[in-house]
């Protein structure tokens, strides 16, 4: 357990993030903005036409919250003997932000309807990978009668699922937790948010434990706990991506303790929730690259566990009706680097007379190869200490996000706890700018979505790329958090 005795000890003295007053002011500002967002959410009822929803106001409030968050991180100071008070305030504000949001109306997101449906199907003893929601709702002859009955019992849930013509894309371990929410209360968004709150709290505890191990200020946990993007995407939009993070954190922690078989096993469990954690395997096992006697068993254990967990997906069929195949072949949203790659591939494709499917395939293969190469490159050097391992893990996940054809704001959750441990200005800035994605709904309502897809989207990423370039060209020039420039001991730097 993370004890208050530790939190109020000399651990606080290693960071000096300005006065208690500064924390109070920024915390109150975030609370006010999230209260406004919770009130505004009532204007986003599902049945209300998109053109009547106050999308611009939503984006403005989210950007303001992102700005206050950045100010809190870069301007606040954490000084002894006020450490216990500041820690209590930080935790209390984070809880209050979640309490303000957990009863709000979901704004512009509907993925949770799929989670509810999948959980209900599994909880009633049926295979969520076998039939699409459309098939269940239409009660086709091939659909079992209990599944058709369940669709009728779901009220509006089954009719509000996006991409309802596709079978589910979510791996089996995630399905277990979907069903837990159903057992808590069938078809309840609050029950689902309650499940998410458990994982969210676990993330905070694990971040605090890692910060203790690295002898860093627990104030850095505010980077996760106060992040407006985390609060919106978990507690308002109810996205499931937060569920994989505790297992990812545990896997890296075990790797840092040289428990590589256990790390591989836990990481496989994370892959059973969402596939992206596979990219961390080379990084976590990098110290074993010259030790095949330990490397091979760890890799085999990881591969065998992943294969076992994903068997239900394989046996249900990977055809054009599978969400996994559709996602891998065609989905593209809020991307920038991949869009440049796709444009380049199209130029060559026209010369070689490729059709659109081949162009998409080639671009995606190149992007996947780039991600694999990035993870392999990061794993070449042996981490000098635990801090290096967390840094490399963050960079691996950031590479997946920035090279992906789909860069939804909730995918930033993959990095959120890692950024709290190894902060980078570029990735903190990204968390604030990703709120611009919701402008797409404004342009969609006016039949001008291309304005966002080909123009506005660059506002999200160009500042981030410029900062990443600076960090890459001058990796040893520190941009420390205020109050840390002269601190001794294990310095925390934002490169």
């Amino acid at each position: 357990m993370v004890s208050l005795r530790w939190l109020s000890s000399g651990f606080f003295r290693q960071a000096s993030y300005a006065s208690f007053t500064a924390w109070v002011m920024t915390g109150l500002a975030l609370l006010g903005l999230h209260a406004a967002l919770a009130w505004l959410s009532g204007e986003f009822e599902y049945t209300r036409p998109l053109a009547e929803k106050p999308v611009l106001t939503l984006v403005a409030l989210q950007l303001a919250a992102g700005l206050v968050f950045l100010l809190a991180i870069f301007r606040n100071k954490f000084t002894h003997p006020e450490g216990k008070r500041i820690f209590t305030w930080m935790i209390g504000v984070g809880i209050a932000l979640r309490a303000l949001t957990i009863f709000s109306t979901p704004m512009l997101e509907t993925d949770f309807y799929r989670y509810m449906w999948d959980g209900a199907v599994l909880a009633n003893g049926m295979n969520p990978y076998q039939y699409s929601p459309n098939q269940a709702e239409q009660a086709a002859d091939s659909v079992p009668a209990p599944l058709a009955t369940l669709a009728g019992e779901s009220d509006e849930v089954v009719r509000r699922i996006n991409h309802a013509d596709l079978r589910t894309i979510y791996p089996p371990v995630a399905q277990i937790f979907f069903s837990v929410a159903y057992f808590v209360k069938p078809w309840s968004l609050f029950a689902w948010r309650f499940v998410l709150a458990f994982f969210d709290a676990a993330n905070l505890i694990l971040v605090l434990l890692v910060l203790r191990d690295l002898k860093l200020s627990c104030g850095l946990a505010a980077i996760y706990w106060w992040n407006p993007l985390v609060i919106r995407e978990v507690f308002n939009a109810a996205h499931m991506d937060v569920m994989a993070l505790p297992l990812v954190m545990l896997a890296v922690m075990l790797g840092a303790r040289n428990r590589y078989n256990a790390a591989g096993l836990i990481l496989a469990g994370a892959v059973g929730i969402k596939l992206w954690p596979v990219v961390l395997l080379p990084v976590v096992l990098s110290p074993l690259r010259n030790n095949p006697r330990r490397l091979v068993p760890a890799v085999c254990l990881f591969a065998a566990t992943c294969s076992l967990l994903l068997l239900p997906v394989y046996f249900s069929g990977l055809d054009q009706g599978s969400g996994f195949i559709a996602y891998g072949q065609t989905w593209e949203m809020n991307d920038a680097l991949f869009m440049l790659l796709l444009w380049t591939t199209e130029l060559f494709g026209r010369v070689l007379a490729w059709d659109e499917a081949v162009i998409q395939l080639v671009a995606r293969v190149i992007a996947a190869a780039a991600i694999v190469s990035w993870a392999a490159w990061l794993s070449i050097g042996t981490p000098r200490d635990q801090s290096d391992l967390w840094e490399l893990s963050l960079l691996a996940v950031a590479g997946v996000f920035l090279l992906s054809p789909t860069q939804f704001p909730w995918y930033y959750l993959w990095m959120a706890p890692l950024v709290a441990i190894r902060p980078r200005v570029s990735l903190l800035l990204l968390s604030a700018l990703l709120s611009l994605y919701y402008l797409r709904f404004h342009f969609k309502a006016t039949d001008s979505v291309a304005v966002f897809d080909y123009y506005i989207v660059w506002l999200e990423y160009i500042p981030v790329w410029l900062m990443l370039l600076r960090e890459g060209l001058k990796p040893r020039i520190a941009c420390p958090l205020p109050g840390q420039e002269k601190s001794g001991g294990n310095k925390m730097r934002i490169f």
Side-chain angles (χ1 to χ4, degrees):
M1 293 292 293
V2 182
S3 67
L4 261 184
R5 182 179 178 183
W6 159 65
L7 291 168
S8 59
S9 70
F11 180 63
F12 277 97
R13 292 193 291 269
Q14 295 196 9
S16 54
Y17 287 1
S19 67
F20 182 61
T21 302
W23 279 92
V24 169
M25 296 303 293
T26 50
L28 289 176
L30 282 174
L31 287 169
L33 287 165
H34 281 80
L37 283 165
W39 175 82
L40 184 71
S41 73
E43 303 294 316
F44 285 84
E45 285 290 345
Y46 182 89
T47 56
R48 188 171 186 172
L50 182 57
E52 297 179 11
K53 295 177 179 179
V55 175
L56 295 179
T57 305
L58 165 64
V59 173
L61 287 172
Q62 283 289 152
L63 289 173
L67 176 60
V68 172
F69 166 72
L70 293 179
L71 288 173
I73 299 306
F74 289 110
R75 295 302 177 193
N76 287 345
K77 295 187 179 179
F78 213 176
T79 56
H80 192 78
E82 295 179 314
K84 186 184 294 186
R85 285 200 300 162
I86 293 174
F87 176 77
T88 303
W89 175 254
M90 182 190 75
I91 297 298
V93 168
I95 293 172
L97 292 173
R98 286 154 173 80
L100 283 169
T101 310
I102 199 167
F103 295 106
S104 62
T105 302
M107 294 182 281
L108 303 175
E109 294 299 333
T110 58
D111 285 356
F112 60 88
Y113 288 117
R114 171 76 74 165
Y115 313 153
M116 289 182 183
W117 171 251
D118 285 0
V121 172
L122 182 61
N124 283 274
M126 292 174 280
N127 183 354
Y129 299 104
Q130 191 169 3
Y131 299 100
S132 71
N134 275 354
Q135 289 175 303
E137 183 189 9
Q138 295 164 7
D141 293 339
S142 59
V143 174
L147 188 64
T149 301
L150 189 66
E153 293 173 356
S154 73
D155 195 16
E156 298 293 336
V157 169
V158 74
R159 288 187 286 276
R160 294 181 177 182
I161 296 172
N162 55 38
H163 304 288
D165 57 314
L166 298 173
R167 302 193 303 278
T168 187
I169 192 175
Y170 300 104
V173 178
Q175 299 290 338
I176 294 172
F177 293 108
F178 297 163
S179 66
V180 168
Y182 180 86
F183 282 122
V184 172
K185 186 176 181 181
W187 316 114
S188 168
L189 176 57
F190 179 77
W192 170 239
R193 284 170 166 166
F194 179 80
V195 172
L196 294 179
F198 170 82
F199 290 95
D200 177 59
N203 287 332
L204 173 66
I205 292 170
L206 290 169
V207 167
L208 289 170
L209 288 172
V210 175
L211 292 173
R212 181 196 63 181
D213 289 347
L214 298 180
K215 297 181 174 59
L216 298 171
S217 169
C218 63
L220 292 169
I223 293 174
Y224 176 82
W225 197 236
W226 280 19
N227 193 319
L229 185 145
V230 171
I231 294 161
R232 168 178 162 69
E233 301 303 339
V234 176
F235 289 95
N236 176 260
H239 285 294
M240 55 79 65
D241 297 74
V242 72
M243 293 197 305
L245 303 182
L247 294 181
V248 167
M249 297 285 288
L250 282 172
V252 180
M253 291 172 71
L254 289 167
R257 290 164 171 74
N258 302 321
R259 298 177 60 185
Y260 298 109
N261 288 342
L265 184 64
I266 296 296
L267 195 61
V271 173
I273 294 175
K274 199 98 181 206
L275 299 181
W276 65 265
V278 69
V279 75
L280 289 172
L281 185 68
V283 173
V284 172
L285 300 184
S286 60
L288 300 181
R289 67 183 186 281
N290 295 322
N291 187 354
R293 292 184 63 183
R294 296 190 66 188
L295 177 63
V296 171
V299 172
C300 289
L301 181 61
F302 172 82
T305 306
C306 286
S307 299
L308 182 64
L309 290 175
L310 296 175
L311 275 178
V313 177
Y314 175 77
F315 285 123
S316 295
L318 294 174
D319 52 31
Q320 295 303 313
S322 167
F324 291 94
I325 297 301
Y327 181 92
Q329 287 183 342
T330 60
W331 286 7
E332 181 185 358
M333 184 63 66
N334 200 42
D335 57 316
L337 274 180
F338 181 80
M339 185 161 52
L340 290 175
L341 173 60
L342 187 59
W343 288 346
T344 303
T345 307
E346 286 174 344
L347 290 176
F348 286 98
R350 292 193 189 100
V351 174
L352 299 173
W354 290 346
D355 61 26
E356 182 62 28
V358 174
I359 291 171
Q360 282 281 348
L361 176 62
V362 171
R364 288 165 192 272
V365 168
I366 293 173
I371 292 171
V372 171
S373 300
W374 175 242
W377 184 81
L378 291 173
S379 67
I380 289 174
T382 302
R384 293 168 297 179
D385 52 29
Q386 288 191 38
S387 295
D388 273 1
L389 182 59
W390 288 102
E391 178 86 7
L392 294 172
S393 298
L394 171 62
L395 293 174
V397 179
V400 175
F401 180 90
L402 292 170
L403 290 166
S404 173
T406 50
Q407 295 177 33
F408 295 112
W410 51 96
Y411 287 5
Y412 183 88
L413 295 173
W414 307 348
M415 294 182 276
L418 301 174
V419 174
I421 296 165
R422 299 299 296 174
R424 282 176 169 262
V425 174
S426 55
L427 299 179
L428 288 168
L429 181 61
L430 178 62
S431 73
L433 291 176
L434 280 171
S435 294
L436 290 171
Y437 162 76
Y438 290 99
L439 284 175
R440 192 175 192 275
F441 292 89
H442 168 75
F443 290 104
K444 182 179 179 181
T446 58
D447 294 322
S448 55
V449 72
V451 173
F452 176 87
D453 288 342
Y454 298 110
Y455 301 100
I456 303 296
V457 71
W458 301 104
L459 298 178
E460 293 180 75
Y461 295 109
I462 288 179
V464 176
W465 292 345
L466 292 175
M467 187 57 67
L468 283 169
L469 182 62
R470 178 188 182 277
E471 293 167 353
L473 291 176
K474 298 181 179 180
R476 306 319 304 172
I477 295 180
C479 301
L481 290 171
Q484 293 182 324
E485 294 89 342
K486 298 180 181 179
S487 62
N490 187 356
K491 295 182 181 179
M492 183 71 244
R493 297 174 181 268
I494 303 181
F495 292 115

